[in-house]
Amino acid sequence: MKNIETNRLILRNFSESDAPGLLAYMSAPRVNCFLDGRINTPEEALTEVRKRSEDDSQIAVALKEDNMLIGELFCMKEEPDTFSIGWNFNAAYEGKGLARESAEALLHHLFEEKEARRLYAYVEDNNFRSQKLCEKLGMRQEGCMKEFVSFTTNEDGTPKYENTFLYALLKKEWSSRRES
């Protein structure tokens, strides 16, 4: 993908230099949906960034000032004009508006350059930060899927099913927000 710059960030493909940054937030994922992507060693991180560097749906989010990886965005196209989107950020960079800044740039890219008509995101019911980000982006909650998916287990070893919210945004909704 071509680089996208915001005031403070660069959205770009992953590179080998991102391995330490990826390890920093993927060694202890805070959201259950990222548990299966846990990375435990620098070698695993290097293997993962090499894999992601070939995948335009995996977007590295780096600070513009020093190119330090602080998180990631992802977007998967579903025919003909719908994208599933999401994000994962290092907790050390929370509360600074960086996730929102990068996500807004992604929305602009998808709606304007990729001609998306609809974007949606799945968010677990206990992931309050992502819910709030969806709302700040103008996404509306379309529903809650009860016991939708299991990423982990209960103490007795049985699957722990999580409720998952579906948030979505249409291009016409996004455009009307920008005009007002």
Side-chain angles (χ1 to χ4, degrees), residues 100-161:
R100 181 177 182 177
E101 186 174 324
S102 64
E104 285 175 344
L106 178 63
L107 268 58
H108 183 271
H109 172 72
L110 293 174
F111 283 132
E112 294 299 324
E113 296 180 33
K114 297 295 185 180
E115 299 182 5
R117 179 190 56 84
R118 175 183 168 83
L119 306 177
Y120 72 91
Y122 292 125
V123 181
E124 290 79 14
D125 66 351
N126 62 353
N127 187 347
F128 303 113
R129 286 188 173 275
S130 281
Q131 291 169 32
K132 189 172 182 177
L133 178 55
C134 285
E135 292 162 7
K136 286 180 178 180
L137 294 169
M139 301 178 85
R140 73 193 127 58
Q141 188 184 117
E142 290 189 332
C144 178
M145 297 170 280
K146 298 291 185 183
E147 296 186 12
F148 180 61
V149 68
S150 174
F151 300 107
T152 188
T153 57
N154 293 306
E155 289 181 16
D156 65 2
T158 59
K160 178 181 178 181
Y161 288 98

Side-chain angles (χ1 to χ4, degrees), residues 15-17 19 22 39 41-51:
S15 68
E16 289 188 9
S17 64
L22 186 67
I39 295 171
T41 67
E43 295 77 22
E44 289 175 10
L46 186 58
T47 298
E48 185 63 23
V49 295
R50 285 177 176 156
K51 183 174 83 174

